[in-house]
């Protein structure tokens, strides 16, 4: 395994923990800062807003810079944002620092995906991207439970300090192990956005948003579902979430391997169909504990199985604006998070059981499949030419 890919994985590990650890420490922050839990929930939205703004901002600030320089700058921003969050004296400062922490997220994935593709061995481009993304899955497998545990026994500030530590490690490893690659050819500021005139990238981004949103319709409420519907004790939730992270880890590696063996679009279509079946299974079988766990692992595996193939597809369909294209995948991912959480909560707000959150997820996942199928039908020839 190339050391440069390991360095990139440490960066995505820090980003993954920074994004998802909030779900476990939100009550502790609310209690510490004297705000309501819904108000503390705005800290999640602030991070997502930073992701959405940071992606296009990267194009203006760093489009002519060497890729390694961009990654070092973004790693430093991860460290600064989370250290300041750990030391935040009050709610509003923490809110601002969550926004700052989100700025490098999409940009790092954009620059990192290009580096991974360039250093990959022939025929292993998707696998290289999946190694970079594996940090996100390790964050969910170990980092988020660790941050939640430390927040409970020490303070929630320690969770952000751990993220900053991972950011420092990523900075050092990127500086030592990532080769000095030249800047991408400068197509001008307008040229960075030119690829968005075509339908192919929009189809890919729609597939990302809808497919991810479908799984987050259910995953946003997985803790409550496992306790109140599937019948697990509350003290088992940490282990359950680690099991969900294991599904993400395996799914990510499988997605990279299968995409190199077959094609990325085949993997995306097949995975989103499997995700639809898994979500339908959760709706009908959530009251059976073992079945609910199995369907959870399958669904979270699907969540990350599509990550690297979708990242590669956008790179192949955004020539001249690759950094922006790869970063926009993360924007679509986060929009799917927000949209899925909202739509999955609608039946719960109407008094239905938590298993009903999976039902709109089925429709979303099928929508993601159709978006990818439309891409294949309409733009497959163009993709072949790009290769």
């Amino acid at each position: 395994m190339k050391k440069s890919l390991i360095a990139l994985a440490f960066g995505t590990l820090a980003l993954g923990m920074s994004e998802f650890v909030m779900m476990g420490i939100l009550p502790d922050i609310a209690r510490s800062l004297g705000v309501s839990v819904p108000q503390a929930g705005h800290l999640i939205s602030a991070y997502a807003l930073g992701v959405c703004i940071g992606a296009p901002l990267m194009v203006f600030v760093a489009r002519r810079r060497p890729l390694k320089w961009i990654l070092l700058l973004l790693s430093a921003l991860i460290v600064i944002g989370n250290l300041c969050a750990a030391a935040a004296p009050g709610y509003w400062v923490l809110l601002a620092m969550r926004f700052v922490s989100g700025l490098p997220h999409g940009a790092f994935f954009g620059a990192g995906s290009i580096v991974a593709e360039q250093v990959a061995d022939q025929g292993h481009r998707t696998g290289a991207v999946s190694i970079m993304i594996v940090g996100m899955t390790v964050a969910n497998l170990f980092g988020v439970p660790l941050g939640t545990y430390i927040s409970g026994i020490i303070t929630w500030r320690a969770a952000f300090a751990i993220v900053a530590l991972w950011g420092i490690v990523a900075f050092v490893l990127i500086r030592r192990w990532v080769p000095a690659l030249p800047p991408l050819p400068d197509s001008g500021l307008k040229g960075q956005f030119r690829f968005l005139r075509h339908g192919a990238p929009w189809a890919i981004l729609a597939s990302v948003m809808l497919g991810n949103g479908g799984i987050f319709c259910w995953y946003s409420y997985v803790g409550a579902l496992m306790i109140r519907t599937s019948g697990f004790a509350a003290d088992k939730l940490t282990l359950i979430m680690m099991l969900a992270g294991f599904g993400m880890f395996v799914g990510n590696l499988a997605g990279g391997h299968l995409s190199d063996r077959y094609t990325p679009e085949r993997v995306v279509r097949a995975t989103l169909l499997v995700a639809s079946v898994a979500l339908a299974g959760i709706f009908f079988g959530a009251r059976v504990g073992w079945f609910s766990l199995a369907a959870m692992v399958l669904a979270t595996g699907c969540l990350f199985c599509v990550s690297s193939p979708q990242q590669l597809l956008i790179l192949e369909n955004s020539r001249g604006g690759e950094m922006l294209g790869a970063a926009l995948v993360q924007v679509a991912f986060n929009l799917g998070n927000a949209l899925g959480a909202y739509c999955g909560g609608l039946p719960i707000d109407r008094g239905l059981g938590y298993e009903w959150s999976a039902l709109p997820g089925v429709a979303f996942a099928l929508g993601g499949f159709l978006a990818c199928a439309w891409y294949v039908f309409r733009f497959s020839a163009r993709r072949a030419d790009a290769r």
Side-chain angles (χ1 to χ4, degrees), residues 176-195:
R176 294 185 60 183
W177 290 350
V178 172
L181 300 172
L184 294 174
D186 185 14
S187 57
L189 189 57
K190 290 184 178 180
Q192 295 288 324
F193 294 86
R194 191 171 293 125
F195 73 94

Side-chain angles (χ1 to χ4, degrees), residues 118-337:
Q118 290 189 7
V119 303
D121 295 327
Q122 185 67 29
H124 295 280
R125 295 184 303 160
T126 318
V129 175
S130 73
I131 292 173
M132 178 195 74
I133 296 175
V134 81
M136 286 282 286
T137 64
V138 173
N140 281 278
L141 182 59
F142 296 115
V144 173
L146 174 64
T148 303
Y149 175 74
I150 290 177
S151 173
I153 64 173
I154 303 177
T155 172
W156 56 267
R157 299 179 186 276
F160 292 122
I162 292 173
V163 177
L165 177 61
W166 286 125
I168 292 172
V169 173
F171 183 94
V172 172
L173 295 183
I174 289 170
R175 189 171 183 272
R176 294 185 60 183
W177 290 350
V178 172
L181 300 172
L184 294 174
D186 185 14
S187 57
L189 189 57
K190 290 184 178 180
Q192 295 288 324
F193 294 86
R194 191 171 293 125
F195 73 94
L196 292 173
R197 296 177 181 177
H198 307 290
W202 291 106
I204 297 166
L205 293 173
S207 179
V208 173
M209 185 184 73
L210 292 172
N212 181 69
I215 295 175
F216 266 85
C217 284
W218 150 80
Y219 192 60
S220 300
Y221 307 96
V222 65
L225 181 142
M226 287 296 173
I227 294 171
R228 300 185 184 183
T229 305
S230 301
F232 291 97
D235 60 1
K236 302 296 183 184
L237 193 55
T238 298
L239 292 176
I240 291 172
M241 297 309 294
M242 290 183 69
L243 191 60
F246 175 76
M248 297 177 188
F249 179 81
V250 174
N252 175 64
L253 295 180
H257 173 74
L258 293 173
S259 294
D260 285 329
R261 184 173 180 179
Y262 302 104
T263 62
E265 59 267 38
R266 283 185 181 180
V267 173
V268 172
R269 284 181 293 166
T271 301
L272 290 178
L273 281 179
V274 172
S276 302
V277 173
L279 291 168
I282 290 169
F283 173 69
F284 288 108
R287 296 187 183 280
V288 181
W290 68 266
F291 182 84
S292 186
L293 281 178
M296 177 192 71
V297 173
L298 184 60
T300 56
C302 290
L303 179 65
F304 274 87
C305 187
V306 295
S307 293
S308 55
Q310 286 171 334
Q311 203 82 39
L312 188 64
L313 282 175
I314 200 70
L315 287 176
E316 292 181 346
N317 288 274
S318 59
R319 298 307 181 191
E322 291 93 336
M323 278 197 294
L324 178 63
L328 286 178
V329 169
Q330 295 304 309
V331 174
F333 186 94
N334 278 271
L335 288 176
N337 288 2

